[in-house]
Every structure is written in structure tokens, then in C-alpha cells.
Amino acid sequence: MSSHHFVKEQQEPALIILNTNGVQYEQVAPLLEWVPTVMVTQEEVYTVISWGIKIDIILADIEFQKSHFKLLEEQYPVRFLGVQNGNYLEEALQYLLATKHGAANIIGFNHQKVFDLEPKLERLDLVVWDGPIRYFPIKSRHFRKWFVPCTVQLHAPEGTLVEVKNSDGAQIIEVHHSTMLELPEGTSEFSSKGIFWIGEFFNK
């Protein structure tokens, strides 16, 4: 490990692992490159340990903490962050805000609930991984990116209008449940009047 990696300065996006169902280690590995703060729910601790990932914080209720206190020694310097009523993500995000983090990747979050995260987007850049798809918010209402030929998902409140421009021309898309869009190779531009999310499929 190079010398500039050993101090965490909250500049790299933290990694919050809520659920590993449908998630491959290969998806997570690139997110570890700059040694982010890694936060894991109590249900996923042993899966993440089996992946060889060093955990910084275990999101856990008091019962788990009491019955698994040896983890603090075995995985030192890991520590527990207390959670009540299963509110793992809320506690994790509050911690990140309190410790001046600016961004996080959230693994295993239902993309249908991303709209609940939007109040946090003023202070945190959030990317959500739901199975094989990575969702990122377009907070500026306008986004431009070069794509290889691919399929993306547009995710926004029902009926949201998104304008898409690329080499295929310009079109207005009305977003409905799981609106999929084929993109040609080259630059695509997206515009809308409100926040919307783009989902990209993970490729090994």
C-alpha cells in the first residue's frame, strides 16, 4: 500500500454495504481503490469479511454488538455504530455528514426508494447499486457523457419528461416504471426540469 493511502481524509466516497444479494465482489472491488471508509450492516459482516474487505464500521443493534464483541478484536480497528429499528442507512448517512464525508456508494439499496435520498443530495453525492445496476442522480438537471453502445435505465417520478440528444437525434421520453433506453456509441445529453437518476449496468 503506498504511503498516501494509509490516512483516510474523507475525500474518497465512503462505501456502505447494506445487502449483498445479487452483488458480486467484482462490482465492489473498484470502489475500494482509494481505501474508503467501509460501513457494513450486521447481516452482511461475514460475507464482506469473506471477500477480504477490511471493514471500518459495523452498523449493528445492541444485541448484535453484545454477541459479536469479539469482532472488535478480530477485525481491529473496526468499531460498532449503534442502530435501532433497522435504520442502517439513515445512521450511516448521519455519520458521514458528521465526519465531513462528501460522497458515498451504497450497495444493495432498492432503486425504487432513491427518491427518499434526494434531501441528502444537497450535502452528499450518492451512487446506489441495486443488483447489477448502478444508479447516479443528475442533480444539475443536465448531464452529458460519452457512452459505448449500451442500455441505460431512466428513473424518476412517474411521468417525468427527460430530453435525450445523441447521434440518433433528439427525443422527449416520458419516464414510467423501468424506462429503458438504448444509447448509441458517442456522447448523449440528458435534460429534465427536476432531479432524475440514470442506471448503468455493471460490466466485468
Side-chain angles (χ1 to χ4, degrees), residues 108-124:
F109 184 76
N110 184 348
H111 73 278
Q112 297 290 342
K113 298 180 179 179
V114 293
F115 309 129
D116 297 341
L117 301 177
E118 290 179 2
K120 297 284 194 301
L121 295 179
E122 289 184 17
R123 298 175 63 191
L124 285 169

Side-chain angles (χ1 to χ4, degrees), residues 10-83:
Q10 288 76 48
Q11 294 178 354
E12 65 290 318
L15 181 61
I16 305 171
I17 301 178
L18 301 175
N19 193 312
T20 59
N21 287 339
V23 176
Q24 307 168 60
Y25 170 73
E26 290 79 7
Q27 289 172 259
V28 178
L31 307 178
L32 299 167
E33 181 179 357
W34 293 101
V35 197
T37 297
V38 177
M39 310 177 75
V40 181
T41 61
Q42 61 188 46
E43 289 88 356
E44 300 297 342
V45 166
Y46 290 103
T47 297
V48 174
I49 289 173
S50 75
W51 284 350
I53 294 175
K54 192 75 184 73
I55 301 171
D56 295 293
I57 295 172
I58 299 171
L59 303 159
D61 60 33
I62 192 67
E63 291 304 317
F64 184 94
Q65 294 181 44
K66 287 178 179 177
S67 58
H68 295 80
F69 66 92
K70 286 187 177 179
L71 281 169
L72 300 182
E73 196 174 295
E74 294 167 357
Q75 299 295 315
Y76 183 83
V78 72
R79 61 192 186 86
F80 289 125
L81 180 62
V83 174

Side-chain angles (χ1 to χ4, degrees), residues 146-183:
W146 191 93
F147 290 87
V148 297
C150 64
T151 301
V152 299
Q153 180 179 354
L154 297 179
H155 191 49
E158 191 79 8
T160 295
L161 298 178
V162 178
E163 182 181 22
V164 181
K165 295 179 181 178
N166 51 42
S167 60
D168 286 345
Q171 57 181 317
I172 302 291
I173 295 174
E174 185 173 354
V175 175
H176 296 291
H177 175 67
S178 194
T179 297
M180 310 303 285
L181 179 65
E182 299 284 341
L183 296 180

Side-chain angles (χ1 to χ4, degrees), residues 80-127:
F80 289 125
L81 180 62
V83 174
Q84 293 183 341
N85 303 316
N87 293 323
Y88 300 118
L89 183 57
E90 183 62 29
E91 290 294 339
L93 295 178
Q94 291 297 340
Y95 172 87
L96 295 181
L97 288 171
T99 52
K100 303 295 191 290
H101 282 75
N105 285 287
I106 305 171
I107 306 294
F109 184 76
N110 184 348
H111 73 278
Q112 297 290 342
K113 298 180 179 179
V114 293
F115 309 129
D116 297 341
L117 301 177
E118 290 179 2
K120 297 284 194 301
L121 295 179
E122 289 184 17
R123 298 175 63 191
L124 285 169
D125 289 323
L126 300 175
V127 176

